[in-house]
Amino acid sequence: MEKKIVIKNVSKFYGRKQALFDIDLTIGQGMFGLLGRNGAGKTTLMKTLAALHRKKGGEITVCGVPIEKAKEIRAMTGYLPQDFSMYPSMKADEALDYLGALSGIPKAERKKRVTSLLRKVNLIEHRHKKVRELSGGMKRRLGIAQALIHDPTVLIVDEPTAGLDPEERIRFRNLLCEVAEERIVILSTHIVGDIEATCENIAIMDEGKILWKGTVEQLIENARGHIFTSNVEKRFMPQIKKEYIVTGMLSQNDYTTVRIVSDSEPDLPNTVLTEPDLEGAYMYCLHSSGCDVRGGEE
Amino acid sequence: MLFGKECRRILTSLTFIIYCFVVGLFFVSQFIDENKGDPYIPDEKISEDHDIIIDSAVDCLANEYLANNYICYPLGFYKSVRLKEDDSQKVEECLLEITGLTHDELMDIRDSGEHYYVEHGIQETMYYEIGELPVSDTITYERFCELMGQVDDILGGGSKYKVDDLVANYSYVPMTQEDREAIISDLYDKDRVVGGYARLFSDYVGIDLGIMPVFVAAALVSADRRKRVSDLIYTRKISSLKLIFTRYTALVTMMFIPVILCMISADIHLIRYFDFNDLALYKMFTLPTFWLLPQLMIVTAAAMIVTEVFSSGIAILFQFAWWFYSIMADGARLSGSISKFDLVCRHNTVFGREEFMLSKNDFIFNRIFYFIAAIVITAITAYIYELKRGGRFHGIRLFGKNSIFRHKA
Ligand SMILES: Nc1ncnc2c1ncn2[C@@H]1O[C@H](COP(=O)(O)OP(=O)(O)OP(=O)(O)O)[C@@H](O)[C@H]1O
Ligand SMILES: [Mg+2]
C-alpha cells in the first residue's frame, strides 16, 4: 500500500460560510508544509484529514483508506490541534498514558512509549508536573508526544512550533524530520523558517484555496527576478512601505536597506536584484496570486 | 485499564466529593439519627374496605362542594379550586348519584346544620357541618370510581378524588392491638427486621439518587468540552461504544460505592439496637440494590445523553424537574402504591410490608424497565457521540447568542 494522501475536489462549509473550495492535493511520504495567512483554511483542511470534520463533496483517501472509514483513519492518524490542551489536573505522564489507553495500546507497551517520548520531547524531568503547571512551550511538547504515542502512519500537526523557544524549535524540527522518515507528516505554520528547514513539499493556501503547490526550490525559482534590495533614506520608509511589499529592513545611520518584492524593478535608488529567499518567495507567491500583502513585515 | 483511569478521574473530581458528602450526610441525618431504639409504630392502617372508602370520600366531597372550595395538588403544588356554576352542577350530580339524595334533600341537610367561616387570606369561605351523608344502596364501587374520576377531571387533576389515590386517601382506620402485634410480627418474622429497615433505607437514599448523580455525570461528560480536550479524544482509535460504556460503568460504579458504604453502616447501626439473631443482615444489600441501582443507572444515563445533546446545565435542569415531579406529584405520597414509572419509589416506614407487597409487581416492572432503559439510552449516547466525533452533529444550543445549531470548530 502506497503511503500517500489523495485529496480530490474537497469543499467544506461552516453553516453557510464556505471555508474550503475544491481542494486538490496529493501528499506523499515525508514532511509536507502547509503555509498560509490567518484564516486561510489550514486548520479546516487538517481537521478534515483527521476525520473531525465532514467534508462536502469530493473524496479523500489516506493510504488507500477512504476518509469515511473513521475508525481506520483514527487508528493511523496522530493529530496535534492548534489549541492543544489537556485535563489540567493530570500529570504529564498520566496524560500521555490516558491518551495512549484511548488509542488502544497495551499497558506494558504504553509504559515504554511514554518514557521514551517524554525523553524525546525533553519533558522527562517534568513528567510528574500537572498539565496546568507546565509552561506554554512544555504543553506544546506534550502535545507533540501525545500525537506520536500510537506510532501513527500519518502525523498532522497544526502550528506545532508556536510558542517554542528557538532551542526547542530546532529540537522539534529535528524530531519531526526523524519521525517523517517512515511517515507522512503534515505541518501547518506561518513561520516560513520552519518550512525552510524541514519540508521539501509545500502548499500555500489562501481563502480556502490552494494558491500554489510544489517544492521549496520551485517556489524560490518562481520568485527569481522579483526580489530586490534598495538602500534608501530613512525618511522615505513610510511611503515605500505603502507602495511596495517589504520583507526585510536593516537600518544604519540615516539609511535603511530594504528587501522588496515586486513584479518589476522598483524605481528606487541603489536597487539591485537579489537571490530570492523563501520568505520573499512566499510573499511573491501571495502577491502574484492577487493577495494584498503590502505593509506586511512578517 | 481505561475503566480504572476513568474511575480515578471521577474520584478526584470536586462534584464527586460533594456527591459523597451529600449522600453521607443525608443518610446519617435521616436514617441513623432518626432510627435509634424501637421503631415508631403508626396509629392507622389502610383497610381497603370499599364501604369505608365510599363513606369518607363522599363526606369529604360534600364538604368541599358545599363550600365550593376544593384543595388540589396538581404537580405537587397546593391550589384551591372554585368551580363555576355549570361545573359545580356536574359535581352535584355525581354527589347525588352516590348518596341517592335529591337536590332538595341535600339542601335540607345543609341548612339543618351549623355553619362557620374560614379565612383564606382576604377571602372567606363558608363551611357547613353536615355530619355523615348516606350512601345509595345501588352504587357499586366501580361506578363510584368512575364518578370520582369525573370529579377529578372537572377539578383539573390532582384533587383528593384521584382514582389511584382513593385507597390511600380514604381507607385509613385506627390500628387495633392485634394489628399492632401483626405488623410487629411481620417485621420480625417475614422481614427479619433488616428487610423493613432496608425499605426505609432505600426510601431515603432514593431521594438523593434521584438528583445527585446528574452533577457528577454531567461534570464528567462536559469536562472534555470545557477543558477543550474533545478533539484530542475524538481522534483516538477507541470506538465510541467502548468509550461511552466505559465512562458510564465507571460513573455508576463509583457512585454506587458510597451507597454500599451506607448499607454497611446501616447494618452496623441495626446490630447496636436489635438482637443479632433477629437480623438478616444480607437484606440490607439485596432489596436496596435492586431498588437503587436501576435508579442510579437511569439518572446517570439521562445526564450523559442530555449533556451530549444539549449541555450540562440543561441536564441538571431536566433532572431537577424529573426528580421534583417524581417526589412531589400526586400529593407526595410517602408510602404505598409504587407505580410503574415512578423514578423515586417511596416507602417511608419500617412497617407496611403488606402494603409494599401490594405494588410488588409494578415495582419489579418499574426497576427492570429503568435498568433496560438506562442501557438503551447509553447505547444511543454512544451513537450521538460518534456523530459529534465525525462533525456530523454539533449539539443543540438552547440558550446563548448562537442559533440553535452550533458549529463547533
Ligand atoms: N467553527 C467555525 N465556524 C465558522 N467559521 C469558521 C469556523 N472555524 C473556522 N472558520 C472560518 O473558516 C476560515 C478558515 O479558518 P481556519 O481556522 O481553517 O484558518 P487557519 O488557516 O487555520 O488560520 P490560522 O492561521 O489563524 O490558524 C476562516 O475564515 C474562519 O473564520
Ligand atoms: Mg489554524
Side-chain angles (χ1 to χ4, degrees):
Chain A
M1 186 177 55
E2 206 177 350
K3 273 192 190 155
K4 67 177 180 189
I5 299 176
V6 182
I7 305 167
K8 272 190 206 146
N9 253 324
V10 168
S11 297
K12 158 79 194 160
F13 288 81
Y14 288 112
R16 241 176 260 124
K17 182 183 162 41
Q18 187 162 8
L20 295 179
F21 294 81
D22 298 324
I23 302 285
D24 271 307
L25 205 58
T26 303
I27 301 170
Q29 191 172 325
M31 294 274 286
F32 186 90
L34 211 50
L35 210 57
R37 301 191 288 179
N38 289 140
K42 304 182 293 294
T43 300
T44 307
L45 181 59
M46 293 181 125
K47 282 192 175 182
T48 311
L49 292 179
L52 285 169
H53 272 340
R54 197 165 56 135
K55 61 183 171 47
K56 175 103 167 40
E59 57 181 273
I60 301 177
T61 53
V62 180
C63 305
V65 181
I67 198 86
E68 285 75 18
K69 292 194 173 169
K71 186 154 192 192
E72 286 175 54
I73 298 288
R74 285 174 196 142
M76 59 187 184
T77 307
Y79 174 64
L80 170 63
Q82 182 167 2
D83 55 351
F84 169 78
S85 51
M86 190 55 201
Y87 304 120
S89 56
M90 271 191 185
K91 292 184 182 132
D93 54 356
E94 268 174 10
L96 279 186
D97 195 48
Y98 180 71
L99 292 170
L102 288 178
S103 286
I105 307 164
K107 187 169 182 165
E109 180 67 22
R110 226 158 55 213
K111 223 173 155 185
K112 265 189 271 168
R113 287 205 202 163
V114 167
T115 320
S116 90
L117 274 169
L118 282 171
R119 196 161 282 136
K120 263 191 187 164
V121 298
N122 208 11
L123 275 181
I124 197 82
E125 309 104 89
H126 303 293
R127 67 175 182 276
H128 296 314
K129 271 196 185 157
K130 290 192 170 160
V131 171
R132 73 159 76 87
E133 295 161 356
L134 298 177
S135 77
M138 291 177 191
K139 232 180 263 175
R140 289 215 76 76
R141 273 138 66 190
L142 182 67
I144 292 150
Q146 67 75 28
L148 286 168
I149 189 100
H150 54 301
D151 193 20
T153 324
V154 178
L155 181 65
I156 299 175
V157 286
D158 200 352
E159 293 190 26
T161 53
L164 294 188
D165 64 31
E167 196 189 328
E168 279 306 329
R169 179 168 290 171
I170 291 168
R171 224 184 135 84
F172 173 69
R173 285 177 193 161
N174 294 341
L175 173 64
L176 273 195
C177 289
E178 188 187 316
V179 163
E181 261 163 37
E182 72 271 30
R183 279 173 245 257
I184 304 171
V185 177
I186 306 173
L187 158 109
S188 84
T189 183
H190 13 74
I191 299 164
V192 178
D194 285 341
I195 298 258
E196 192 157 29
T198 49
C199 301
E200 200 194 335
N201 287 295
I202 56 173
I204 298 176
M205 287 187 79
D206 200 59
E207 297 189 338
K209 298 187 186 90
I210 303 277
L211 289 187
W212 194 89
K213 56 193 169 192
T215 63
V216 172
E217 292 87 60
Q218 283 168 347
L219 184 70
I220 290 176
E221 213 41 52
N222 224 19
R224 190 170 292 284
H226 298 286
I227 303 202
F228 306 88
T229 44
S230 312
N231 205 7
V232 295
E233 270 180 67
K234 234 182 192 163
R235 59 195 170 97
F236 293 126
M237 275 314 294
Q239 205 191 340
I240 290 173
K241 275 198 202 161
K242 224 182 274 166
E243 262 170 60
Y244 298 98
I245 304 163
V246 177
T247 65
M249 288 187 295
L250 188 68
S251 296
Q252 263 176 340
N253 304 326
D254 287 343
Y255 283 87
T256 305
T257 312
V258 286
R259 270 180 95 85
I260 288 174
V261 174
S262 174
D263 291 327
S264 53
E265 187 170 326
D267 185 17
L268 292 168
N270 313 321
T271 299
V272 285
L273 191 64
T274 30
E275 191 63 17
D277 59 336
L278 186 59
E279 186 137 29
Y282 169 56
M283 292 310 260
Y284 177 72
C285 175
L286 288 181
H287 166 71
S288 63
S289 313
C291 303
D292 185 14
V293 284
R294 261 171 308 175
E297 297 137 90
E298 286 187 310
Chain B
M1 215 167 57
L2 187 59
F3 176 76
K5 291 185 196 303
E6 296 294 352
C7 288
R8 228 186 116 135
R9 282 181 57 213
I10 296 164
L11 190 65
T12 53
S13 73
L14 181 65
T15 44
F16 182 68
I17 293 164
I18 295 172
Y19 167 89
C20 293
F21 190 75
V22 171
V23 170
L25 199 72
F26 197 69
F27 165 73
V28 169
S29 69
Q30 297 295 310
F31 187 87
I32 299 284
D33 290 354
E34 299 294 320
N35 290 288
K36 294 183 171 160
D38 286 337
Y40 163 78
I41 301 174
D43 307 322
E44 293 181 317
K45 64 162 196 171
I46 286 178
S47 74
E48 282 197 273
D49 181 335
H50 291 167
D51 290 344
I52 293 177
I53 297 172
I54 299 178
D55 271 350
S56 10
V58 89
D59 291 344
C60 178
L61 178 63
N63 268 308
E64 290 199 330
Y65 160 74
L66 291 173
N68 192 16
N69 185 32
Y70 303 82
I71 311 288
C72 299
Y73 287 91
L75 298 179
F77 291 101
Y78 172 90
K79 186 175 160 200
S80 136
V81 176
R82 283 166 197 275
L83 291 180
K84 297 215 181 66
E85 191 61 41
D86 50 339
D87 280 338
S88 200
Q89 188 62 40
K90 286 183 205 150
V91 173
E92 192 193 85
E93 277 163 25
C94 296
L95 193 56
L96 296 180
E97 185 178 342
I98 298 168
T99 54
L101 299 170
T102 63
H103 174 77
D104 292 342
E105 285 169 338
L106 181 62
M107 291 302 125
D108 283 348
I109 292 176
R110 181 187 75 176
D111 297 334
S112 65
E114 303 273 308
H115 62 261
Y116 57 96
Y117 294 92
V118 175
E119 274 186 50
H120 297 285
I122 52 164
Q123 267 182 325
E124 250 184 5
T125 307
M126 186 163 54
Y127 284 95
Y128 297 89
E129 282 184 359
I130 48 166
E132 285 186 16
L133 291 184
V135 173
S136 154
D137 295 334
T138 53
I139 193 99
T140 62
Y141 186 67
E142 285 67 36
R143 178 62 186 153
F144 162 76
C145 288
E146 213 175 289
L147 292 169
M148 287 289 134
Q150 287 173 15
V151 173
D152 188 54
D153 286 345
I154 294 170
L155 292 170
S159 71
K160 294 178 182 170
Y161 316 104
K162 190 170 180 263
V163 177
D164 289 346
D165 291 351
L166 288 173
V167 173
N169 284 343
Y170 299 108
S171 82
Y172 275 99
V173 292
M175 273 205 194
T176 61
Q177 189 54 34
E178 286 115 71
D179 290 334
R180 266 175 246 265
E181 278 160 17
I183 62 166
I184 291 175
S185 88
D186 263 5
L187 180 67
Y188 278 87
D189 300 340
K190 293 192 182 143
D191 278 332
R192 306 281 319 280
V193 180
V194 182
Y197 281 94
R199 289 193 295 269
L200 186 67
F201 174 91
S202 308
D203 177 72
Y204 284 132
V205 178
I207 296 175
D208 291 343
L209 291 189
I211 181 77
M212 290 310 292
V214 72
F215 296 102
V216 183
L220 184 85
V221 172
S222 66
D224 285 2
R225 202 176 79 213
R226 281 184 290 119
K227 314 256 157 80
R228 289 180 293 122
V229 188
S230 311
D231 280 354
L232 223 51
I233 311 284
Y234 286 168
T235 48
R236 295 348 271 197
K237 186 177 109 186
I238 189 165
S239 75
S240 300
L241 203 64
K242 188 171 169 195
L243 178 64
I244 295 297
F245 267 96
T246 307
R247 287 184 166 178
Y248 177 69
T249 347
L251 278 166
V252 171
T253 309
M254 291 307 287
M255 286 196 273
F256 206 61
I257 289 174
V259 177
I260 293 175
L261 295 178
C262 288
M263 290 171 182
I264 294 171
S265 43
D267 262 350
I268 294 171
H269 182 75
L270 291 180
I271 291 171
R272 288 172 57 198
Y273 291 96
F274 290 88
D275 186 348
F276 187 80
N277 294 318
D278 288 336
L279 301 174
L281 293 177
Y282 74 91
K283 284 183 184 243
M284 189 53 85
F285 297 92
T286 46
L287 177 74
T289 300
F290 184 76
W291 189 315
L292 299 171
L293 189 60
Q295 191 181 332
L296 172 61
M297 286 173 67
I298 188 73
V299 175
T300 307
M304 285 178 81
I305 198 165
V306 179
T307 307
E308 283 296 354
V309 174
F310 299 96
S311 68
S312 52
I314 304 278
I316 290 166
L317 281 181
F318 166 80
Q319 191 55 44
F320 189 80
W322 191 13
W323 174 73
F324 195 78
Y325 173 79
S326 177
I327 55 177
M328 289 310 227
D330 307 347
R333 300 271 305 294
L334 290 183
S335 66
S337 90
I338 292 165
S339 73
K340 278 198 175 75
F341 298 104
D342 283 341
L343 171 66
V344 180
C345 297
R346 301 292 322 257
H347 192 84
N348 195 266
T349 165
V350 173
F351 300 104
R353 176 191 168 86
E354 224 169 307
E355 207 184 334
F356 179 76
M357 285 305 178
L358 284 178
S359 38
K360 184 178 159 204
N361 288 340
D362 280 351
F363 173 71
I364 291 174
F365 170 89
N366 177 314
R367 297 292 104 170
I368 292 176
F369 170 78
Y370 279 127
F371 178 85
I372 295 171
I375 292 169
V376 171
I377 288 174
T378 306
I380 298 171
T381 308
Y383 178 71
I384 291 172
Y385 188 81
E386 179 64 28
L387 291 182
K388 287 180 95 175
R389 233 175 145 173
R392 282 179 287 167
F393 176 63
H394 303 281
I396 299 171
R397 258 268 196 270
L398 292 181
F399 305 114
K401 49 187 186 294
N402 289 338
S403 62
I404 289 242
F405 289 95
R406 177 167 37 103
H407 287 275
K408 203 174 78 45

